Amino acid sequence: MASVTRETERKYEAPAAAEETDGPDAAASGALLDALPRTEGVARVTGRGVEELDATYFDTDDGRLAAARTTLRRRTGGHDAGWHLKLPVPTDGDARDELHAPLADTVPADLARLLRSRTRDAPLGPVLRLRTTRRRHTLHGADGTLLAEAATDTVRAERLDGAPGGLAGATTAWREIEIELAEGAPASLLDRIEERLTAAGIHRSKDRSKFARALTDTGPPPETWPAPDPAPAPGTAGAEVLAHLARWHRALVALDTDVRRDLPDSVHQLRVATRRLRGAFKTYRKVLDRAVTDPVGEELKWLAGELAPARDNEVLTARLAHLLDTTDPAPALVLGPAPARLRLHSTPRAAEARDRVRAALDSPRHLALLTALARLATDPPLRPAAHRPAREVLPAALARDHRRLAARLDHALALPPGPGRDHALHQARKAAKRARYAAEAARPALGKPAKRHRKRVKAVQQLLGVHQDSVVAREALRQLAVEAHGAGESAFTWGLLYGTEQSRAEAAERELPELWEKVREEGPPGPGG
């Protein structure tokens, strides 16, 4: 498997004087070396010599990696020769995850698999060749700790093919400065360095990467994401709904890779993305033609189902482990090898669930879903209401979801306690989640009224979630008690925890009617927000 590092860096334009310098960036390095030692926290700047780097960048014919702000290169020279895959980090605009694989003639299979949601199995071919002369310096603290690396780069780029929209053989060249934070160094150091560089006349580059700049210089700028053609007018219902769908389509594509990398919480977030997309198809059926979106929604439901066992086992195991740790008075009431029993119960289920997720993501069915979502992004099935003002159309959609929630919740609360009511409350929870997602989608157009409605519905959803989690936990606790008894262990602890969970569910049911009445009275935003 490829190794991973978190790269946090900023790029700067080399000062004008450097443009007149031949060879490695002597003028740029001079300006840099003049600024860096005066940065607070930097005690020493050490030269590391000059490297000659030769990198070939790969993409699909229609630039799918560039559109997803993703770079794949094969680089020789320097201290980290090999294949490099760089993925954006949504929570930090200065950071990217860089995955390294050894040099090989073709794209390593591990990296190609991680890119599947972006490429959708389209062939990857050489797009650009970048040759870089790099002068490196390292920045150290008073105790010698490595804080950052600074590089002045002279870059020469050549377009290797004409796609997308470029001219094969086109060339460009420039000089730039990179500052990369060392692992463990404070992020604030980048801001302090930037203050010094700005004072020295060195300003942040408008390009996020060498790859992006070279593409722009040798052809039309790469698209940031597929856009509908023609796009609905700003402020219309279609524009708002499509912006929401684009956001969660991007999330789904990125989270596919995160799940393949086994990143924490990635299965949960991918499942959320599938639900938000599917919910939007249903909620905004007056905006989007359901004849087109319903089949895609069914495939999203399938994917969510394939993810469910992994996520459910993860949540359940954490919940039961927490119960074991917090049983009062712990550990006196934890009889027998309860923690070990929980591991025996959950570990094989987790492994089976992970295999199921991987099989789903590698399947032709998932690839077809990704293709269908990409097609919807560029050719959305807009209905006439899509061209009306969002503030007229979206409130009606929120009202429909609110009525749906009301019908389900009123039905559930009218039932006597028991499995039937538990199931009905779970169905109401799903309706509350859909109403919450709808309000979030409408918030850019409807503002504070949609925000307040989302907050109220979320409170209902969370209380229903407490109840449903208890239902699921009690079934698992019953199974654990059976397994413990069969192995000759005490089942007392599992019975005790069952009672704790039952009390939680009953408390949620007592609180629910009063909360729901408040939410019902306030209702969703009306026309005009």
Side-chain angles (χ1 to χ4, degrees), residues 20-301:
E20 302 171 359
T21 304
D22 295 327
D25 263 351
S29 293
L32 192 65
L33 292 175
D34 186 52
L36 293 179
R38 295 199 297 270
T39 302
E40 179 186 351
V42 176
R44 176 167 52 88
V45 179
T46 303
R48 297 299 180 184
V50 177
E51 297 177 340
E52 296 293 338
L53 311 175
D54 192 340
T56 300
Y57 287 75
F58 290 73
D59 205 340
T60 63
D61 284 348
D62 53 357
R64 296 177 186 180
L65 296 188
R69 297 182 58 195
T70 300
T71 59
L72 174 66
R73 71 187 179 203
R74 182 185 185 275
R75 189 163 80 181
T76 59
H79 62 287
D80 61 348
W83 284 89
H84 302 164
L85 170 61
K86 294 191 178 186
L87 302 167
V89 177
T91 56
D92 186 345
D94 293 325
R96 289 189 292 177
D97 278 348
E98 184 171 318
L99 288 79
H100 291 210
L103 277 175
D105 292 336
T106 58
V107 180
D110 284 347
L111 299 187
R113 190 174 299 112
L114 293 177
L115 289 170
R116 193 174 190 234
S117 64
R118 292 163 168 82
T119 65
R120 304 192 299 280
D121 280 358
L124 288 163
V127 175
L128 285 165
R129 182 184 183 189
L130 268 64
R131 285 169 288 179
T132 303
T133 300
R134 168 167 292 178
R135 186 185 293 270
R136 297 175 56 226
H137 296 85
T138 52
L139 284 62
H140 302 266
D143 61 354
T145 301
L146 177 64
L147 299 175
E149 179 175 311
T152 54
D153 292 343
T154 301
V155 186
R156 302 168 300 282
E158 178 186 3
R159 193 66 168 253
L160 299 180
D161 72 359
L167 178 64
T171 62
T172 186
W174 70 91
R175 289 181 170 94
E176 69 178 32
I177 293 170
E178 280 187 6
I179 307 293
E180 181 175 346
L181 204 62
E183 184 177 359
S188 59
L189 178 62
L190 283 178
D191 293 330
R192 297 199 298 273
I193 291 174
E194 183 159 313
E195 289 178 4
R196 289 296 181 184
L197 295 180
T198 300
I202 300 173
H203 301 288
R204 186 91 73 96
S205 173
K206 66 181 184 299
D207 298 293
R208 64 181 181 269
S209 69
K210 290 181 175 65
F211 180 52
R213 175 165 182 169
L215 282 179
T216 300
D217 287 355
T218 58
E223 295 290 340
T224 56
W225 190 256
D229 184 22
T236 60
E240 296 296 334
V241 171
L242 291 182
H244 178 75
L245 293 178
R247 173 190 174 190
W248 289 103
H249 180 196
R250 287 194 298 270
L252 186 145
V253 168
L255 288 162
D256 176 293
T257 301
D258 291 351
V259 170
R260 294 175 189 273
R261 294 173 59 196
D262 289 326
L263 296 187
D265 202 40
S266 57
V267 171
H268 173 219
Q269 294 302 327
L270 180 56
R271 194 178 177 196
V272 168
T274 64
R275 287 173 166 172
R276 288 181 181 268
L277 288 166
R278 184 166 173 255
F281 291 159
K282 291 181 175 294
T283 294
Y284 297 111
R285 59 184 182 270
K286 298 293 185 181
V287 176
L288 300 169
D289 186 353
R290 290 189 65 179
V292 177
T293 61
D294 275 0
V296 183
E298 285 303 306
E299 292 307 287
L300 288 167
K301 181 180 180 181

Side-chain angles (χ1 to χ4, degrees), residues 451-487:
K451 180 181 179 181
R452 288 193 296 268
H453 181 59
R454 171 200 171 275
K455 183 178 180 180
R456 293 190 294 262
V457 173
K458 183 179 179 181
V460 174
Q461 176 204 324
Q462 289 178 329
L463 192 57
L464 289 167
V466 170
H467 182 274
Q468 176 61 17
D469 288 348
S470 175
V471 172
V472 174
R474 277 180 280 156
E475 176 56 30
L477 289 166
R478 188 194 67 80
Q479 181 61 37
L480 282 161
V482 171
E483 293 173 4
H485 180 75

